[in-house]
């Protein structure tokens, strides 16, 4: 890969939407890309649309856990090597599938995930800030929003 010249032309994106993504294996992958000569890498997470082809509602806790795992990967990787993280929000799994998790039901998840990334973690204060921002009285993380 190093000899191909590709590392001078692109920045790889490492995708994983799992709530329990393997931090150690992702850190090793980052190190491999660095050794190959890539200048930067990107991470890709999801704030919605990655938990089931016919999912209607967004389970915020799943996506929050994914982002907290990505933060661990970032902390264990060279800071200058990480270009950024892309928060994907899939609408369907393929062009033949029905739509899943429309954006309006996923806005609380997007807000929680962005705040977790911005603040380097999640806390009761961040939860209260998101509730205030969205005008909600009780943000449900581990159950579906009502």
């Amino acid at each position: 890969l190093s000899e191909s010249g590709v590392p001078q032309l692109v920045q790889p994106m490492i995708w994983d939407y799992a709530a329990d993504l393997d931090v150690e294996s992702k850190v090793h992958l980052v190190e491999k890309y660095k050794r190959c000569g890539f200048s930067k890498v990107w991470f890709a997470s999801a704030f919605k649309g990655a938990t089931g082809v016919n999912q209607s509602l967004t389970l915020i806790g799943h996506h929050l856990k994914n982002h907290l795992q990505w933060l661990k990967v970032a902390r264990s990787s060279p800071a200058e090597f990480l270009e950024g993280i892309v928060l994907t929000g899939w609408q369907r799994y393929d062009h033949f599938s029905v739509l899943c998790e429309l954006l309006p039901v996923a806005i609380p998840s997007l807000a929680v995930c962005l705040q977790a990334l911005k603040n380097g973690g999640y806390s009761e204060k961040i939860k209260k800030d998101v509730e205030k921002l969205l005008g909600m009285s009780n943000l449900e993380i581990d159950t579906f929003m009502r």
Side-chain angles (χ1 to χ4, degrees):
L1 192 58
S2 305
E3 296 168 11
S4 72
V6 169
Q8 286 71 47
L9 302 173
V10 299
Q11 295 177 342
M13 185 171 295
I14 305 170
W15 303 73
D16 198 325
Y17 305 144
D20 61 349
L21 76 82
D22 184 347
V23 172
E24 188 176 328
S25 71
K26 293 296 181 274
V27 171
H28 288 306
L29 189 55
V30 168
E31 292 167 355
K32 284 181 183 180
Y33 280 133
K34 189 167 175 50
R35 283 195 310 270
C36 286
F38 289 95
S39 61
K40 301 276 186 181
V41 295
W42 290 81
F43 297 157
S45 65
F47 71 92
K48 75 174 197 77
T51 56
V53 67
N54 60 352
Q55 190 79 31
S56 303
L57 302 172
T58 305
L59 189 56
I60 298 170
H62 172 90
H63 300 290
L64 173 60
K65 289 173 187 168
N66 175 254
H67 286 89
L68 296 176
Q69 292 297 94
W70 276 119
L71 283 170
K72 290 178 185 176
V73 176
R75 286 186 193 109
S76 300
S77 301
E80 73 282 354
F81 193 59
L82 176 59
E83 186 68 13
I85 183 167
V86 175
L87 282 75
T88 65
W90 297 103
Q91 201 65 47
R92 61 174 58 159
Y93 278 63
D94 60 53
H95 293 291
F96 304 105
S97 298
V98 297
L99 295 176
C100 65
E101 294 182 62
L102 300 178
L103 181 60
V105 300
I107 288 175
S109 180
L110 177 59
V112 165
C113 293
L114 286 170
Q115 287 300 310
L117 291 174
K118 178 183 173 190
N119 291 285
Y122 190 73
S123 66
E124 191 61 31
K125 181 191 179 315
I126 293 170
K127 178 182 182 231
K128 294 293 179 204
D129 290 347
V130 171
E131 287 173 342
K132 183 177 179 186
L133 178 73
L134 297 178
M136 301 174 75
S137 60
N138 186 24
L139 181 65
E140 298 176 31
I141 299 293
D142 295 316
T143 59
F144 291 112
M145 295 293 296
R146 286 182 253 138

